[in-house]
Amino acid sequence: MFQPRRGFSCHLAWFMLQTTLYASWLLGLFPFTFDSRRKQLKRSRWLLLYGFILNSLAMCLALSSHLASKQRRKYNAFERNPLLEKIYLQFEVTAFLTISVLLLMNVWKSNTVREIANELLTLEGQVKDLLTPKNCPNFNCFVIKKHVAVIGQLMISIYFCLRQENSYPKILKILCCLPSVGSQLIIMHFHTEIILVYRYVWLVNETLEGSNHLSSSRIRALASLYDRLLKLSELVVASNDLQLILMLTIYLIGNTVQIFFLIVLGVSMNMRYIYLVASPQLILNIWDFWLNIVVCDLAGKCGDQTSKVLKLFTDLEHDDEEVERSVSIWKQSGNELNISLFRQLNEFAWLCTHRKFRFQLCGLFSINYNMGFQMIITSFLYLVYLVQFDFMNL
């Protein structure tokens, strides 16, 4: 993405994006090669096969390591509370199936991912002269925040993998984290695509607000770019809707189970120190979940801001006849008005009014602040139900 990389945050965000790209290539999650002549990505069957074999072996290794450690040790909390053991086992199965589906869907929808990446590359080459390149603070901020959250998640995963009580060497225990790394990188791809779309829309708004003289051709080009960004955002959501639903479900279940686990350890077994040990992980899980919500809501609000900017140039409440009447009145009053420019602004404004950036999963619900708060409240209610149901064993 073209931008003047000035300042520490810009260089750090750029470095993190490059790290994500190379890590995805290394794990076979981005099975594409770059055609320097056409400046486009093309899918590589060898990289696709390499990624499928590598991640399949990693899933088998992680499963065998987990089963081997499970036979050696059983948590005291499970002996104290059988309900917690049943819920935890169900969560483990759900998490394993979710990661498997994420990795399979990444292979299945690789052509769509290639189409999205090529569209972003095409936009980068075509809009340099159309948009004013500026540093977007939110772009750098959310790229860094997401990477910090993912790094924290990976450190926790590696820590728990190394603590597994089995005869596996440490290198194999670390390799057991590859499925977790892969799932985080797949969600990182979605996060990066959305934040890039947001930055383009933000640049469109900055161009509209900062331009003293807007020509009809430039307004037409901006409207065309806005329409492409709308289609691109719909394609991004359509290619990741199932993966996002599964990941959001895992966050919902995982946070509920973890808090119930802490209640059993802290209240039933009087291990109060566990709150200090596990609180950072719980906070990190909630923060990582919330970043996925915020970035979609941010892009949607930025699209709404475009309509407000265009209202400075034209009034959306006028129909075509009133527009013509306004044009004739302004001509008679001696004001010079470019009719073509006025109509282009009006069409652009109607486009922003009738088509908005709304990220709906399977067409059922939108990813925004309301959905995030509802999921948090739902998680809290399920926790209350568990405590009430199993109150006598606490």
Side-chain angles (χ1 to χ4, degrees):
M1 178 63 191
F2 77 95
Q3 61 175 337
R5 291 192 292 274
R6 294 189 298 267
F8 175 74
S9 62
C10 296
H11 288 284
L12 181 60
W14 182 253
F15 171 75
M16 288 181 169
L17 289 175
Q18 287 184 314
T19 303
T20 301
L21 176 62
Y22 291 128
S24 300
W25 262 326
L26 182 62
L27 297 181
L29 300 174
F30 199 73
F32 311 109
T33 56
F34 184 71
D35 188 348
S36 58
R37 183 176 60 86
R38 299 175 56 191
K39 294 184 178 181
Q40 294 282 284
L41 296 174
K42 60 180 181 179
R43 190 173 68 166
S44 171
R45 295 182 179 180
W46 291 108
L47 286 176
L48 200 65
L49 181 62
Y50 160 75
F52 179 77
I53 295 175
L54 176 64
N55 289 289
S56 298
L57 292 176
M59 290 293 293
C60 294
L61 179 63
L63 180 61
S64 63
S65 176
H66 176 72
L67 294 177
S69 61
K70 184 179 177 181
Q71 294 176 355
R72 288 171 170 264
R73 179 186 178 186
K74 184 176 181 179
Y75 292 110
N76 295 329
F78 294 160
E79 298 177 354
R80 177 66 179 80
N81 195 301
L83 176 63
L84 176 61
E85 181 180 9
K86 293 180 180 180
I87 296 175
Y88 187 77
L89 291 176
Q90 293 295 327
F91 171 71
E92 285 184 333
V93 174
T94 305
F96 181 82
L97 293 177
T98 297
I99 294 176
S100 301
V101 172
L102 283 176
L103 297 175
L104 287 175
M105 292 301 294
N106 186 70
V107 175
W108 181 263
K109 295 188 176 182
S110 57
N111 273 327
T112 307
V113 176
R114 177 184 57 82
E115 183 179 351
I116 294 171
N118 284 334
E119 178 66 11
L120 289 171
L121 289 174
T122 303
L123 288 175
E124 180 181 353
Q126 292 181 354
V127 302
K128 287 184 177 181
D129 298 329
L130 178 62
L131 301 176
T132 304
K134 292 183 178 181
N135 284 321
C136 180
N138 283 330
F139 175 81
N140 299 323
C141 178
F142 280 99
V143 167
I144 295 173
K145 284 182 178 179
K146 184 62 178 179
H147 280 80
V148 170
V150 170
I151 291 173
Q153 295 279 11
L154 297 182
M155 292 177 63
I156 293 173
S157 299
I158 293 174
Y159 171 75
F160 281 108
C161 287
L162 291 176
R163 287 196 59 188
Q164 288 183 352
E165 296 182 359
N166 51 43
S167 57
Y168 285 32
K170 289 185 177 180
I171 184 63
L172 290 182
K173 291 182 179 180
I174 294 177
L175 291 177
C176 292
C177 300
L178 288 182
S180 177
V181 175
S183 62
Q184 292 292 338
L185 286 176
I186 292 173
I187 300 301
M188 178 70 74
H189 295 168
F190 169 80
H191 188 277
T192 303
E193 292 161 359
I194 293 297
I195 201 65
L196 283 173
V197 171
Y198 157 76
R199 187 178 185 277
Y200 277 118
V201 179
W202 182 82
L203 286 174
V204 170
N205 295 343
E206 291 293 313
T207 302
L208 290 172
E209 291 179 347
S211 299
N212 296 326
H213 302 285
L214 291 173
S215 63
S216 176
S217 59
R218 192 172 190 183
I219 291 297
R220 188 184 304 110
L222 288 174
S224 176
L225 173 60
Y226 194 89
D227 182 64
R228 291 175 65 180
L229 292 175
L230 284 167
K231 294 178 180 178
L232 181 61
S233 65
E234 294 171 357
L235 183 61
V236 169
V237 176
S239 64
N240 293 276
D241 51 2
L242 179 59
Q243 296 95 310
L244 282 174
I245 290 176
L246 292 174
M247 284 302 296
L248 292 176
T249 303
I250 287 298
Y251 279 121
L252 176 68
I253 299 174
N255 291 333
T256 305
V257 172
Q258 185 175 4
I259 295 175
F260 188 59
F261 203 109
L262 295 179
I263 291 176
V264 173
L265 292 176
V267 177
S268 301
M269 304 181 65
N270 200 25
M271 298 170 59
R272 303 298 172 84
Y273 66 90
I274 198 66
Y275 294 135
L276 297 176
V277 175
S279 293
Q281 180 185 359
L282 182 61
I283 294 174
L284 186 62
N285 289 339
I286 296 175
W287 186 40
D288 192 15
F289 157 76
W290 192 248
L291 286 176
N292 297 320
I293 303 294
V294 171
V295 69
C296 294
D297 192 84
L298 184 67
K301 289 182 177 179
C302 190
D304 296 337
Q305 183 66 25
T306 309
S307 299
K308 297 178 181 179
V309 174
L310 289 172
K311 283 184 179 180
L312 300 175
F313 301 96
T314 183
D315 188 357
L316 299 181
E317 296 179 356
H318 291 167
D319 55 19
D320 293 340
E321 295 181 0
E322 291 178 340
V323 169
E324 295 293 343
R325 190 181 305 114
S326 300
V327 170
S328 61
I329 292 174
W330 288 331
K331 277 186 174 182
Q332 294 174 3
S333 63
N335 294 329
E336 295 183 358
L337 178 65
N338 190 328
I339 301 177
S340 177
L341 172 61
F342 187 84
R343 291 191 177 185
Q344 291 296 333
L345 285 170
N346 193 62
E347 291 177 1
F348 192 3
W350 277 107
L351 173 65
C352 297
T353 303
H354 289 80
R355 296 184 60 191
K356 297 180 179 295
F357 288 92
R358 296 293 182 264
F359 304 96
Q360 291 186 337
L361 300 181
C362 298
L364 299 177
F365 51 88
S366 300
I367 308 178
N368 49 34
Y369 283 145
N370 292 332
M371 190 208 73
F373 282 118
Q374 289 175 1
M375 291 192 67
I376 292 176
I377 293 173
T378 301
S379 179
F380 178 76
L381 289 177
Y382 276 118
L383 180 64
V384 173
Y385 297 153
L386 286 174
V387 173
Q388 290 178 340
F389 179 78
D390 202 47
F391 181 77
M392 299 304 296
N393 290 328
L394 294 179

